[in-house]
C-alpha cells in the first residue's frame, strides 16, 4: 500500500473522522493557518487517483469518503515500520518502547496480561 505524505494523511484523518465530507468541510477541519482550498483539492484528487478515496456527485459538487479504512492503513503502516526499522521483530519494537520511550512496569504488565489472555 502506498505511504501517504503528511498532508495526504491529514486529509485522510479528517475523512476517517467525518465519514463523508465536501471539500469545504475538509478545509474547515484543518488547523489555522489553512492552505488554499485549491491545495486541498489537489490533495483530494491525488488520493482519488491512488484509490484511497472516492466521491458521490451532487451536480458539480462532490462529497468524498474514504475507500481505505483507518485500520487497514494503520496495519499496513505498522507492518512497514516493523519490517523496515525493526527487522520484522516485534521483540525489537517492545524493546524500543521499554528502553527508548521509558515504558513503565504497569504498562508492560498490562500488555503481558493481554498477551496471556489472547493465548488462552
Amino acid at each position: 500500500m502506498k505511504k501517504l505524505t503528511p498532508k495526504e494523511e491529514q486529509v485522510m484523518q479528517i475523512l476517517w473522522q467525518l465519514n463523508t465530507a465536501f471539500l469545504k468541510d475538509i478545509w474547515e477541519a484543518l488547523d489555522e493557518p489553512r492552505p488554499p482550498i485549491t491545495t486541498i483539492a489537489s490533495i483530494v484528487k491525488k488520493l482519488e487517483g491512488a484509490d484511497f478515496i472516492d466521491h458521490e456527485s451532487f451536480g458539480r459538487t462532490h462529497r468524498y469518503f474514504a475507500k481505505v479504512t483507518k485500520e487497514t492503513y494503520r496495519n499496513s503502516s505498522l507492518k512497514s515500520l516493523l519490517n523496515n526499522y525493526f527487522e520484522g521483530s516485534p521483540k525489537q519494537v517492545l524493546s524500543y518502547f521499554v528502553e527508548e520511550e521509558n515504558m513503565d512496569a504497569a504498562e508492560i504488565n498490562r500488555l503481558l496480561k493481554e498477551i496471556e489472555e489472547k493465548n488462552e
Side-chain angles (χ1 to χ4, degrees):
M1 177 174 290
K2 174 189 181 297
K3 183 173 177 3
L4 298 175
T5 67
K7 293 193 182 297
E8 290 169 338
E9 192 167 327
Q10 189 176 25
V11 168
M12 287 303 297
Q13 290 288 350
I14 292 166
L15 283 174
W16 287 323
Q17 182 181 9
L18 298 177
N19 294 320
T20 62
F22 293 98
L23 196 56
K24 185 178 179 196
D25 299 327
I26 296 168
W27 183 78
E28 288 176 346
L30 293 168
D31 293 332
E32 295 283 351
R34 294 182 185 108
I37 199 161
T38 54
T39 300
I40 303 307
S42 294
I43 293 168
V44 165
K45 187 173 183 173
K46 285 181 185 178
L47 287 168
E48 267 195 295
D51 219 24
F52 272 82
I53 66 174
D54 204 350
H55 71 269
E56 299 172 284
S57 295
F58 298 92
R60 295 180 55 188
T61 307
H62 301 303
R63 181 170 60 193
Y64 298 94
F65 58 92
K67 289 178 70 177
V68 174
T69 66
K70 187 175 187 174
E71 292 75 20
T72 299
Y73 187 72
R74 179 187 61 212
N75 291 344
S76 175
S77 296
L78 284 173
K79 285 178 185 174
S80 176
L81 183 71
L82 181 69
N83 291 328
N84 292 332
Y85 295 97
F86 296 98
E87 300 169 13
S89 170
K91 180 182 176 191
Q92 284 189 22
V93 174
L94 279 172
S95 293
Y96 169 82
F97 282 106
V98 170
E99 294 168 12
E100 301 295 328
E101 298 297 322
N102 299 317
M103 186 180 232
D104 65 14
E107 186 68 11
I108 293 168
N109 287 330
R110 186 187 65 73
L111 286 172
L112 286 171
K113 185 177 178 183
E114 285 183 29
I115 292 168
E116 288 170 358
E117 288 172 358
K118 183 177 180 184
N119 289 329
E120 290 179 355

